[in-house]
Amino acid sequence: MDNRQAIGSWLSGPRAAAEDMGVDFGYPGQRLGLPQQGPGSVARFGRRLGAVAIDWIGCQLIAYGLITGGNLAAAGNWTLGLFVALTVLTVGTVGFTPGKRILGLRVVSESGGRLGILWVVLRTVLLALVIPALIWDRDGRGLHDRLARAIQVRI
């Protein structure tokens, strides 16, 4: 008996094998009560990565040009510090960073309102650690968002 269908293939993974067997996972955000597409839907990975890249590059330019006076070696720690400060201040007040706003994203709580400042701080610290952001659930939320009870949605 061939068990490949039951355990999945190393190419397609266990989710694809489960879907082939008839399991319906729904769309990302369905369990959270969010629409499948358009405003309010779960932000996709590419947009989230682009927003973080925009924010990181902006912080790096500020650290390199204004704080360290062109010393690239010293700009790394300053960049991380600026990134954490930018994220806590902007997500804590308006719900998005400049990169998220440019790409049309917002961070909201699971209940749909603004995220509390303590949750924003927790989320940002976990994001700065990088690893929690690389672990996703089936709704596409990183572990940092899940632990902070946050969702990144499209505006």
Side-chain angles (χ1 to χ4, degrees), residues 19-37:
E19 287 173 344
D20 289 343
M21 292 187 313
V23 176
D24 182 21
F25 288 106
Y27 60 86
Q30 184 175 10
R31 293 182 310 148
L32 302 168
L34 300 175
Q36 185 172 2
Q37 299 175 10

Side-chain angles (χ1 to χ4, degrees), residues 113-128:
R114 271 187 34 201
L115 200 58
I117 191 67
L118 293 177
W119 291 119
V120 170
V121 171
L122 173 67
R123 181 186 178 278
T124 304
V125 168
L126 292 171
L127 179 63

Side-chain angles (χ1 to χ4, degrees), residues 30-129:
Q30 184 175 10
R31 293 182 310 148
L32 302 168
L34 300 175
Q36 185 172 2
Q37 299 175 10
S41 64
V42 173
R44 302 290 190 245
F45 176 74
R47 279 191 182 197
R48 293 192 322 251
L49 182 64
V52 169
I54 291 169
D55 293 334
W56 185 264
I57 290 169
C59 290
Q60 194 164 31
L61 290 173
I62 292 169
Y64 177 75
L66 299 177
I67 297 175
T68 65
N71 184 354
L72 188 60
N77 290 334
W78 282 104
T79 302
L80 181 60
L82 285 170
F83 180 79
V84 167
L86 171 80
T87 304
V88 168
L89 291 174
T90 57
V91 172
T93 56
V94 294
F96 47 77
T97 62
K100 288 185 189 337
R101 181 65 184 135
I102 289 169
L103 295 180
L105 304 178
R106 171 177 237 116
V107 178
V108 297
S109 70
E110 287 178 343
S111 63
R114 271 187 34 201
L115 200 58
I117 191 67
L118 293 177
W119 291 119
V120 170
V121 171
L122 173 67
R123 181 186 178 278
T124 304
V125 168
L126 292 171
L127 179 63
L129 293 175

